[in-house]
């Protein structure tokens, strides 16, 4: 059984059908790059996987557990499902009022508070456990920021960081939640060319750790070099899917050929 199974995923915005039945599978430790022109559903696919948008149909299964659809009354299961995926956004989406360290610890601390609430822990016991959890989370965040090369920038606010540094904070934040599958939405498109390399280097390091990763990207060379599988999307569907060699060197679809010809210009 595949680690991730997406079947007939659909998403509409009003009368606009953005995802028209997307189906694919990937194994644990596999890297899948999603390519295609803007406006063809790539970002919407990632947002649906991360439950930033609610799909209108289809199913999502991770490690044998169906996380969509779920019973609407099962709030605990819905919450757990949302942590299966981690998202690194195109425009960083850091909180400007918090420094790098707090940006990484914030979601972890909120998760601890929610867990204590579900367990109905109150009073001094709640304060003690939350204090201990926050201390551990801070150590995890410090280690992750050091890992992405920002050990000396933990107290800096987003406005004091370059675009590449902000994106690396965002990567650390996603890793802090220990997702089963890490998703990148055009992680270098908002960066100047000289900053792109530092972010791709961090992503390459994560790939070398056999993480399960989905990357929406316009970096064709990077996609070819790091991916186990390439998905080419057009008009809200998967037009073609295969190995990098199959897609880049021997595309079958005329739409794929036309897209790749434009990227070579």
């Amino acid at each position: 059984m595949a680690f991730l199974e997406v079947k007939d995923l659909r998403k509409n915005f009003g009368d606009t059908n953005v995802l028209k039945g997307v189906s694919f599978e990937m194994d644990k430790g596999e890297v899948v790059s999603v390519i295609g022109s803007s406006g063809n559903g790539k970002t919407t696919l990632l947002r649906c996987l991360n439950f930033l948008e609610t799909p209108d149909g289809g199913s999502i299964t991770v490690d044998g557990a169906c996380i969509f659809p779920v019973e609407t009354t099962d709030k605990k299961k819905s919450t757990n499902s949302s942590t299966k995926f981690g998202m690194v956004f195109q425009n960083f989406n850091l909180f400007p009022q918090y420094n790098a360290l707090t940006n990484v610890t914030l979601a972890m601390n909120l998760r601890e508070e929610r867990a204590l609430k579900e367990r109905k822990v109150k009073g001094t016991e709640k304060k003690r456990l939350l204090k201990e959890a926050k201390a551990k989370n801070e150590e995890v965040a410090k280690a992750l920021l050091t890992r992405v090369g920002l050990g000396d920038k933990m107290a800096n606010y987003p406005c004091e960081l370059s675009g590449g540094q902000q994106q690396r904070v965002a990567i650390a934040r996603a890793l802090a939640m220990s997702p089963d599958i890490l998703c990148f939405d055009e992680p270098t498109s908002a960066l100047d060319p000289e900053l792109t390399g530092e972010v791709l280097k961090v992503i390459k390091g994560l790939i070398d750790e056999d993480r399960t990763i989905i990357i929406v990207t316009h970096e064709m060379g990077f996609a070819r070099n790091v991916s186990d599988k390439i998905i080419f999307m057009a008009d809200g569907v998967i037009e073609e899917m295969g190995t990098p060699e199959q897609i880049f060197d021997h595309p079958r679809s005329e739409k794929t050929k036309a897209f790749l010809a434009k990227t070579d210009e």
Side-chain angles (χ1 to χ4, degrees), residues 70-84:
V70 296
E71 294 292 334
T72 56
T73 56
D74 195 344
K75 294 182 180 180
K76 184 175 181 181
K77 185 175 180 181
S78 295
T79 299
N80 291 339
S81 297
S82 67
T83 62
K84 296 287 186 183

Side-chain angles (χ1 to χ4, degrees), residues 225-264:
N225 290 332
V226 304
S227 304
D228 299 295
K229 185 185 298 178
I230 303 289
I231 290 175
F232 171 65
M233 288 189 66
D235 302 319
V237 300
I238 293 177
E239 177 71 18
E240 191 166 355
M241 178 167 48
T243 66
E245 182 182 11
Q246 289 171 332
I247 298 300
F248 288 109
D249 297 335
H250 308 287
R252 298 184 302 272
S253 166
E254 292 302 319
K255 290 182 180 179
T256 310
K257 293 176 183 178
F259 170 77
L260 293 175
K262 288 181 180 179
T263 62
D264 289 336

Side-chain angles (χ1 to χ4, degrees), residues 25 41 44 46 64-65 91-92 104 121 123 125 129 160-161 193 252:
E25 297 180 352
T44 299
L46 291 192
N91 292 311
F92 324 134
V104 177
V121 179
E125 178 70 359
L129 292 174
E160 300 171 322
L161 300 172
R252 298 184 302 272

Side-chain angles (χ1 to χ4, degrees), residues 94-136:
L94 300 179
F95 293 101
Q97 69 272 36
Y98 298 131
N99 63 24
L101 184 62
T102 303
N103 263 284
V104 177
T105 60
L106 186 62
M108 288 192 289
N109 292 339
L110 290 173
R111 179 176 60 185
E112 296 294 341
E113 291 181 14
R114 186 166 54 239
L116 291 173
K117 183 177 180 180
E118 289 175 354
R119 290 165 50 195
K120 298 182 179 180
V121 179
K122 298 180 180 180
T124 56
E125 178 70 359
K126 179 181 178 180
K127 291 181 180 179
R128 182 183 68 82
L129 292 174
L130 193 56
K131 182 179 180 180
E132 291 177 357
K134 286 184 176 181
K136 291 180 181 178

Side-chain angles (χ1 to χ4, degrees), residues 7 11 46 76 99 116 162 169 177 203 212 221 241 249:
K7 295 182 179 179
K11 179 62 183 178
L46 291 192
K76 184 175 181 181
N99 63 24
L116 291 173
S162 70
V169 173
M177 298 301 285
I203 298 173
T212 310
M241 178 167 48
D249 297 335

Side-chain angles (χ1 to χ4, degrees), residues 122-177:
K122 298 180 180 180
T124 56
E125 178 70 359
K126 179 181 178 180
K127 291 181 180 179
R128 182 183 68 82
L129 292 174
L130 193 56
K131 182 179 180 180
E132 291 177 357
K134 286 184 176 181
K136 291 180 181 178
N137 290 343
E138 185 169 304
E139 292 306 310
V140 170
K142 287 179 178 178
L144 287 171
L145 285 169
T146 299
R147 180 179 170 189
V148 298
L150 297 174
D152 60 340
K153 301 291 184 181
M154 298 184 191
N156 289 67
Y157 289 81
C159 64
E160 300 171 322
L161 300 172
S162 70
Q165 290 169 336
Q166 290 184 63
Q167 191 61 292
R168 283 184 279 158
V169 173
I171 292 172
R173 177 180 60 185
L175 290 172
M177 298 301 285

